[in-house]
Amino acid sequence: MVAAGQPEAPRHPAGVPGTERTVVGVSGPVIDARMRRRVGLAAAVAGFSVVAGIAAGAGAVQAQAHVTVDIGARDPAFSPDGSTIAVSILGKIWTLPAEGGTARQLTDGASWDTRPAWSPDGRFLAYAARSRQGADILVRNMATGGVRFLHGVPGSVGHMQFHPDGSQLFFVDDRSQYEAHVWRIPLAGGEAEQITHTRSWHEWSFALSPDGNRILLETGRFDGTDLYELDLEEMSLERVTDTPEREMAVAWSADGTRRAHVMTHNGLDQLIVSVPGWRKQFLSTFDQKQLAFHPSGEWLLVLGGRRMQRLDLESGEFTPIPFEARFEVAGDPADDLLITNVRLFDGTGDEAVPGSAILVRDGRIAEVRTGEDGGVPEVAPGTPVIDGGGRTLLPGLMDNHYHYWQPLAGADLLAAGITAIRDPGSAIQDAMDFKDAVRLGVLAGPDVYTAGPLIDGPAGYHPLVDVSIDDPAAAPALVRALKAQGVDLLKAYFLLDPDVLAAVVAEARVQGLPVTGHIGVRTGWRQAIEAGISGFNHIRVWRDFLPLETQADGRDMSLDGGRNPVGRMQADWREIDPASPEVMSLLELMAETETALDPTLYIQDVDDGDRVRFSIEEFHTARQAYERMGEFVRRAVEAGVPLLAGTDNVGLFNELEAYAEAGVPNAAILRAATANGARWLGKEDDFGTVQPGRRAHLILVDGDPLADIADLRNIDLVVKDGVIVFGGPPTEPLIP
């Protein structure tokens, strides 16, 4: 049977393109090799029909294309002679002349490559290749191009530097934001040796002395970090700085006479350079700087905002170091796409309409026909047509609380039907790199809408991904700096004082940035709503409803000094009645002001497998608290509060099923994972619903998620910008 709008396919002898073949589980003709490139090989095994006609002489559609970038640099390292800079640009290692110019790509493949380090003789370049399982330290022979494995770590690799005699490589084993320590390993291979051992602290940057006997490093816990000098022979320590601020990004000149580092205070970076006879300071915006002395010692490379500058140490003048890096990417298919015979939930209402058809053209939805009498749009010969077989078609899903800290997670997210994420807190350098890499086609993944760093008060809880501020007057400059670096929203964190939060929100409104908040320690929700905040993360409402002496105050890893029965519930929810007039008044205010709720409900759940972590009393307290949190979410939806489905990286399907268990209607759940997130960003005319003009982010589901939300797990097809990016469910879900 040929789908409507398609000509009868001519018969061909066996072995000639166009021959019909049969594959188990597929009804109808099977697409040929060229069409596989057009609609995705996996579509042929998804269990639905793909019917296509190909014009005679049509060439391969998946052509190669190129994109050129002049931003996205990180981790600069000079060659020993100072003529060349090795740098990571959007996950690959490149080299370019020290004065700037055209970059030459050194690495390729599926890994995300960072942290280049030259050997003292310039013969070798070490770098970190991050995979989904961890990261490998690889060493490249610059003469032959050969690469060998040196060491692997379970997390990621931070700063790297060769010992001056070339015999060892020093590196940061970055296992978490609280456990990042300096190690060393012989270049010839062997066992790696850990040098710093502090628990729940971190050392992210370091610099070796010219003789290799001492190491200058930053170390700290939570927000504050200081600089120390460690004697590697005697293992004795000398403090270099002693401030409550964050001191970081250390550099040491090759002759040992000059040092530099960055101190961040109130959302501003202070670049501090010490040379014999003087000490200079340069004030600039916060942009996650990295520093490297030129081997001559005459100038300092300053990388900030993913661009490079040359700081002349004599004159104090900054000069840009421009570059261009040309990536080869797959060209987008130019074909239209027609999907017929589906039950359409378009994200605008409560029902799904059977017998619907959707035409995609140039990556956007061109036409929607609904109902049995709606007919099928006319298409040109050769247009791929997918018979949905009565399955449910929905907008692509959006996780409104996903921290994109693993760059190679994008394929798994797409396989779970997630075509967009809202990242409410990542290091600004990572956040913008991952966002750009996906946007340009360098990296597979959902569209990224990012807040960049958390904006927090002093002694912030997430030192790797926050920026601290305690002065309302400093808020406008910080907000403008983050906007200039490309963030899509802002995230306020729980140690912000009310007046500082209000100043952040006020400037964000001027800049057109929505603000979401994980707050409730220093500032209550009602206070934040009155200041104009756009939404809340989690369900941290104790500031509004509990006595001060029982509230979380941000102390230690429990966030409340261990006062509450279950650590990190951060309040005893048995004392909060979701049906009380006080709670309902807050929810009505949220609904009136359209202040959204991203509850991350599932992450608070405990089940029988958690009993070993708790006492009997703690376990039952946690269960009761979770049930009340679920009731809070249900009542919020009933009151008209916009619900945003977000997970904090624990699985979108789990989160949606938690809403259903709490009594939230399935249609509201589906909108929380589709249309609501786009609307919160002010992009409802661009994506989030299946309507003409919207981007073609679509998922085809075997089942009816309006009847059973768990049917969303049965994804047969994912389309992003009109391109099929996933065409059949794996044997086991990649995302829970």
Side-chain angles (χ1 to χ4, degrees):
M1 180 68 68
V2 177
Q6 299 303 302
E8 287 288 342
R11 298 285 181 181
H12 296 277
V16 177
T19 300
E20 294 188 2
R21 295 181 290 116
T22 301
V23 175
V24 175
V26 179
S27 58
V30 177
I31 55 181
D32 72 7
R34 285 181 296 177
M35 188 54 64
R36 289 176 194 273
R37 286 195 292 268
R38 294 181 184 219
V39 300
L41 175 61
V45 295
F48 52 84
S49 299
V50 180
V51 184
I54 302 178
V61 177
Q62 196 76 12
Q64 293 301 116
H66 296 88
V67 293
T68 300
V69 301
D70 60 0
I71 193 171
R74 62 183 301 163
D75 311 330
F78 283 108
S79 62
D81 64 4
S83 65
T84 304
I85 301 170
V87 66
S88 174
I89 303 174
L90 299 186
K92 296 292 174 275
I93 305 300
W94 302 69
T95 58
L96 66 146
E99 65 273 12
T102 300
R104 181 173 72 93
Q105 187 171 350
L106 291 186
T107 67
D108 202 352
S111 58
W112 185 265
D113 303 332
T114 58
R115 307 292 182 176
W118 294 88
S119 64
D121 57 9
R123 294 173 56 208
F124 301 105
L125 186 75
Y127 63 94
R130 190 172 181 184
S131 68
R132 287 168 42 167
Q133 291 74 39
D136 293 335
I137 297 175
L138 305 179
V139 180
R140 179 187 180 96
N141 185 311
M142 296 300 288
T144 67
V147 176
R148 68 180 178 90
F149 170 84
L150 183 62
H151 184 67
V153 301
S156 61
V157 174
H159 179 67
M160 295 201 296
Q161 184 179 352
F162 276 88
H163 188 276
D165 67 10
S167 64
Q168 302 174 87
L169 182 68
F170 288 69
F171 64 94
V172 172
D173 183 344
D174 188 353
R175 303 196 177 192
S176 79
Q177 57 187 314
Y178 311 117
E179 297 291 342
H181 304 302
V182 181
W183 293 60
R184 60 185 168 190
I185 186 170
L187 187 60
E191 292 294 323
E193 176 191 3
Q194 186 171 354
I195 297 174
T196 60
H197 297 263
T198 47
R199 183 175 181 271
S200 295
W201 286 54
H202 53 80
E203 293 84 41
W204 285 324
S205 70
F206 67 88
L208 288 167
S209 62
D211 60 8
N213 293 330
R214 292 165 294 156
I215 184 170
L216 178 67
L217 52 83
E218 64 163 290
T219 184
R221 187 171 189 266
F222 296 156
D223 186 61
T225 55
D226 280 304
L227 305 187
Y228 292 82
E229 190 173 319
L230 176 66
D231 188 306
L232 293 172
E233 293 182 346
E234 299 181 2
M235 295 305 292
S236 59
L237 192 68
E238 177 184 347
R239 179 186 283 270
V240 177
T241 65
D242 188 4
T243 74
E245 313 304 337
R246 183 174 298 172
E247 315 258 4
M248 56 189 178
V250 299
W252 204 339
S253 66
D255 63 4
T257 63
R258 304 173 182 218
R259 294 181 176 182
H261 74 280
V262 175
M263 181 178 74
T264 298
H265 173 67
N266 259 327
L268 291 174
D269 285 346
Q270 194 171 69
L271 172 58
I272 301 170
V273 183
S274 300
V275 304
W278 58 262
R279 186 172 187 263
K280 289 187 177 181
Q281 300 182 14
F282 304 87
L283 197 64
S284 67
T285 57
F286 168 82
D287 54 12
Q288 199 176 354
K289 290 179 174 60
Q290 294 176 301
L291 310 176
F293 277 103
H294 187 266
S296 69
E298 296 176 355
W299 58 280
L300 180 71
L301 189 156
V302 180
L303 188 149
R306 304 185 301 140
R307 299 183 189 274
M308 295 181 287
Q309 296 186 83
R310 168 182 176 146
L311 170 60
D312 187 285
L313 298 180
E314 187 68 29
S315 66
E317 294 182 357
F318 286 86
T319 305
I321 303 176
F323 68 89
E324 285 190 348
R326 189 182 191 214
F327 283 89
E328 187 175 273
V329 298
D332 288 337
D335 294 310
D336 297 343
L337 177 65
L338 177 62
I339 304 175
T340 66
N341 189 21
V342 295
R343 299 179 69 255
L344 175 63
F345 178 84
D346 65 8
T348 66
D350 292 338
E351 304 294 334
V353 182
S356 298
I358 295 87
L359 175 63
V360 175
R361 180 169 293 143
D362 296 326
R364 290 187 177 267
I365 298 168
E367 192 173 347
V368 177
R369 300 279 185 94
T370 57
E372 302 292 347
D373 299 327
V376 176
E378 293 185 4
V379 295
T383 299
V385 179
I386 294 176
D387 181 355
R391 292 168 173 81
T392 304
L393 188 78
L394 306 92
L397 303 178
M398 181 174 184
D399 189 334
N400 290 273
H401 197 127
Y402 186 90
H403 297 283
Y404 210 159
W405 295 347
Q406 165 51 275
L408 302 181
D412 282 359
L413 293 169
L414 291 174
I418 298 170
T419 55
I421 63 168
R422 186 183 70 164
D423 181 348
S426 291
I428 185 68
Q429 198 175 57
D430 287 344
M432 299 313 304
D433 279 353
F434 301 163
K435 174 182 174 179
D436 283 351
V438 170
R439 178 177 60 86
L440 296 171
V442 174
L443 191 66
D447 291 338
V448 180
Y449 299 92
T450 184
L454 311 170
I455 302 176
D456 205 0
Y461 185 72
H462 290 285
L464 180 60
V465 296
D466 71 6
V467 55
S468 298
I469 179 173
D470 61 7
D471 182 359
L478 175 60
V479 172
R480 290 193 294 268
L482 295 176
K483 173 69 179 291
Q485 291 175 69
V487 302
D488 306 285
L489 61 138
L490 298 178
K491 169 77 169 286
Y493 219 55
F494 58 73
L495 292 179
L496 277 183
D497 288 326
D499 57 342
V500 181
L501 174 64
V504 168
V505 172
E507 183 61 28
R509 283 180 170 263
V510 173
Q511 299 300 325
L513 294 172
V515 181
T516 188
H518 174 169
I519 60 174
V521 173
R522 300 286 174 82
T523 305
W525 283 25
R526 189 175 291 272
Q527 286 177 295
I529 294 171
E530 292 169 353
I533 202 166
S534 308
F536 296 113
N537 313 107
H538 313 298
I539 317 174
R540 313 294 193 239
V541 294
W542 53 84
R543 186 83 179 181
D544 294 85
F545 303 124
L546 295 176
L548 285 174
E549 61 270 15
T550 66
Q551 293 180 19
D553 58 9
R555 286 183 292 158
D556 67 38
M557 293 290 285
S558 74
L559 305 188
D560 60 14
R563 291 180 302 190
N564 288 301
V566 181
R568 298 210 66 191
M569 281 290 185
Q570 302 164 27
D572 189 347
W573 263 82
R574 293 175 302 177
E575 303 300 320
I576 301 175
D577 180 4
S580 68
E582 295 81 7
V583 171
M584 294 308 301
S585 174
L586 176 66
L587 295 179
E588 289 165 3
L589 178 61
M590 291 177 65
E592 178 185 340
T593 56
E594 296 188 328
T595 305
L597 174 62
D598 153 31
T600 62
L601 179 61
Y602 179 78
I603 201 172
Q604 302 289 357
D605 191 16
V606 293
D607 57 25
D608 286 345
D610 295 302
R611 289 180 182 273
V612 295
R613 298 194 295 119
F614 300 121
S615 69
I616 292 177
E617 180 183 4
E618 288 173 341
F619 179 81
H620 287 281
T621 297
R623 284 302 308 168
Q624 293 169 24
Y626 180 74
E627 290 169 3
R628 291 211 166 190
M629 289 179 177
E631 183 181 350
F632 181 91
V633 173
R634 175 178 61 80
R635 290 185 178 276
V637 173
E638 291 173 349
V641 175
L643 179 65
L644 303 180
T647 66
D648 219 352
N649 297 46
V650 296
L652 186 57
F653 300 141
N654 292 334
E655 182 74 10
L656 303 184
E657 289 163 17
Y659 299 158
E661 183 180 339
V664 178
N666 286 358
I669 295 172
L670 294 178
R671 287 193 296 273
T674 55
N676 290 3
R679 184 182 180 195
W680 189 88
L681 288 166
K683 297 184 178 297
E684 62 269 30
D685 292 335
D686 190 47
F687 75 100
T689 57
V690 184
Q691 294 178 279
R694 287 5 177 232
R695 294 167 66 189
H697 290 186
L698 306 167
I699 61 172
L700 191 63
V701 172
D702 187 5
D704 182 6
L706 284 172
D708 184 352
I709 203 68
D711 281 353
L712 271 181
R713 294 179 181 267
N714 305 323
I715 294 176
D716 280 348
L717 183 75
V718 180
V719 175
K720 182 172 182 279
D721 290 321
V723 178
I724 295 177
V725 294
F726 179 78
T731 54
E732 295 182 2
L734 295 174
I735 298 290

